Amino acid sequence: MGEKRGRESSEALGIALLAWGLITVLVGIGLIVADYFITNEYVSLGLMSLSSAALSIAGALLITEWIIKPLYVRDVLQVADLSSEIYRAGLRYVRTSHGVAWSEILGVKGEITAAIGNENVFRSGLWAVIMEASRVANRDVRLHVSEDLAAAGFGATIERQWRDNGCGVAGSTLTVVPHGAVTQGLIVQCNSWLAATIADDPLNDDPLFLVFRSDSTEPVVSALQRGVDRLNSSSTPPIAGA
């Protein structure tokens, strides 16, 4: 959904620039035609100047949109080989929660670990996939939740839903643990897959996720705790909202 909005915005901007360029061409041509009927020398000179300026602007817009921009993007991608570099770094894609292939991420064998700071994002689709994966195979699910969620009874609610949906029939286990390093957003880890929200907005229940695949086996909460410890020991004030 977020990708679609981004493409639509880009396409709309391109269409607007092209439309403006074509309108400017028509204005320039109209001024040239009008000059044909003008006998006053000064008025004619003014119309010619305006038409020249209009056609120059139109030419610049159309050349930029049709020639310079595509060539620049192509050259940057070829020189930097950005697609390959990003893929080698482990990033697979960036999508909203509803566009993430949760079944693929959780379909591999291994423990499912999540650091949950935003309950709404967790319940919007991921939780149902976790329960389904736990019903069909023996999976260990470990949920690290923020202290605020733990105090609000999140763990008891999740455990009740787990039992009611028969998630332990195949031998799967669920552990819900409060963790001080978890404060916001959502991070999910399963074997080599890792998905994390880019930023957490309490009013946005469908945030963008970065989805990685790497050889790292470090538990996600350990990485979070290390980051918190580094911030606490740093003499530099953190960025507002970090």
Side-chain angles (χ1 to χ4, degrees):
M1 187 175 178
E3 290 179 314
K4 183 178 179 182
R5 285 197 296 265
R7 287 195 298 270
E8 289 176 347
S9 298
S10 178
E11 291 172 359
L13 179 59
I15 293 172
L17 289 173
L18 290 175
W20 179 248
L22 293 174
I23 291 172
T24 309
V25 168
L26 293 176
V27 170
I29 294 174
L31 291 173
I32 292 174
V33 172
D35 178 62
Y36 181 79
F37 299 99
I38 299 297
T39 57
N40 185 290
E41 180 180 355
Y42 297 105
V43 175
S44 177
L45 181 62
L47 289 176
M48 288 302 295
S49 298
L50 289 173
S51 63
S52 298
L55 292 175
S56 297
I57 293 172
L61 286 173
L62 295 177
I63 290 173
T64 299
E65 187 65 27
W66 283 345
I67 301 176
I68 296 178
K69 186 191 294 183
L71 289 177
Y72 175 77
V73 173
R74 185 201 64 186
D75 290 344
V76 168
L77 290 176
Q78 288 179 346
V79 172
D81 197 15
L82 291 180
S83 297
S84 298
E85 291 299 324
I86 289 173
Y87 194 86
R88 277 196 291 270
L91 181 63
R92 292 300 178 260
Y93 53 81
V94 180
R95 296 177 185 169
T96 58
S97 175
H98 292 90
V100 175
W102 294 119
S103 296
E104 177 186 11
I105 294 174
L106 303 182
V108 297
K109 294 181 179 180
E111 182 181 78
I112 300 173
T113 305
I116 307 166
N118 189 319
E119 180 180 0
N120 293 333
V121 175
F122 175 72
R123 290 183 178 279
S124 64
L126 174 60
W127 177 225
V129 179
I130 290 177
M131 288 194 293
E132 178 62 26
S134 301
R135 278 195 296 265
V136 300
N138 187 344
R139 307 298 295 272
D140 292 326
V141 179
R142 190 173 183 85
L143 307 181
H144 300 268
V145 302
S146 68
E147 293 176 343
D148 289 342
L149 285 179
F154 174 84
T157 302
I158 288 295
E159 289 170 353
R160 184 172 60 253
Q161 292 177 346
W162 173 275
R163 291 191 301 270
D164 292 345
N165 285 274
C167 297
V169 173
S172 298
T173 62
L174 172 68
T175 306
V176 183
V177 184
H179 202 292
V182 180
T183 58
Q184 58 183 349
L186 176 63
I187 304 176
V188 184
Q189 184 179 36
C190 184
N191 206 320
S192 61
W193 286 100
L194 180 70
T197 50
I198 295 178
D200 186 44
D201 179 0
L203 300 179
N204 181 14
D205 291 339
D206 196 20
L208 287 175
F209 274 83
L210 291 171
V211 178
F212 293 88
R213 192 168 192 179
S214 68
D215 296 330
S216 175
T217 57
E218 180 185 15
V220 63
V221 288
S222 298
L224 278 174
Q225 187 62 62
R226 192 173 64 253
V228 171
D229 293 341
R230 192 160 51 236
L231 280 175
N232 291 336
S233 62
S234 173
S235 59
T236 305
I239 300 173

